[in-house]
Amino acid sequence: DIQMTQSPASLSASLGETVTIECLASEDIYSNLAWYQQKPGKSPQLLIYYANSLNDGVPSRFSGSGSGTQYSLKINSLQSEDVSIYFCQQNYDSPPTFGAGTKLELK
Amino acid sequence: EVQLQESGPGLVKPSQSLSLTCSVTGYSITSNYWGWIRKFPGNKMEWMGYISYSGSTSYNPSLKSRISITRDTSKNQFFLQLNSVTTEDTATYYCARSYMGITPFDYWGQGVMVTVSS
């Protein structure tokens, strides 16, 4: 299985700040990388697919980048509603595998 | 709009079978792929498997001997059965849709928490 190493495990930031979450794959996943947001008590929501494509309805302050084995999710101008757990997931090879998650809190 | 809803018992005894139903509205399960994902306490997520528009299935090898995903197209539902459960199967179980195969999941159910305990 492809291992996804996500960092940091937790993150505290202020409103308006820019935050970055990273994901490292154990092998090249050719941009087959998705990011999900899971708000407390809710199901995961797809934010970004194919490393940098924004899903419908996702605010433009979210962006994804990366290639090969290294990927990142950037949130510009942090809002209170962005408090969530964020997961990366590779869908290059079966079984699809997830990062351990990053818990984003407000400072 | 596509909506998914999981249902099933919240408590299962060790060695028994876990059975969950995912009811889909707003979209036919005879299109696309329909999967099960679980989230363990501590946030680890695991893809369990899917059933395709044609009824073919694919499972996580880590579960292959214990898992079965089936469907009832007349009710637009698909099902998860996990046999011989242990306390390590305690998790929140989600059903979700992916466009094709293992592509990202764009619609999710709200999840159902299942505890395995005697």
Side-chain angles (χ1 to χ4, degrees), chain A residues 19-52:
Chain A
V19 300
T20 300
I21 299 167
E22 300 194 334
C23 225
L24 177 68
S26 59
E27 61 185 81
D28 196 328
I29 57 172
Y30 301 94
S31 298
N32 289 280
L33 191 285
W35 290 98
Y36 297 89
Q37 175 192 56
Q38 187 171 27
K39 295 185 179 183
K42 301 291 187 183
S43 58
Q45 299 294 307
L46 178 63
L47 293 175
I48 286 169
Y49 59 94
Y50 205 61
N52 59 15

Side-chain angles (χ1 to χ4, degrees), chain B residues 73-107:
Chain B
T73 57
S74 68
K75 294 182 179 178
N76 217 39
Q77 294 176 326
F78 63 104
F79 312 101
L80 171 70
Q81 181 169 319
L82 187 66
N83 299 322
S84 305
V85 298
T86 71
T87 56
E88 294 190 354
D89 293 309
T90 293
T92 297
Y93 288 75
Y94 297 94
C95 59
R97 186 195 85 161
S98 63
Y99 180 76
M100 185 169 62
I102 59 169
T103 56
F105 303 101
D106 53 1
Y107 291 96

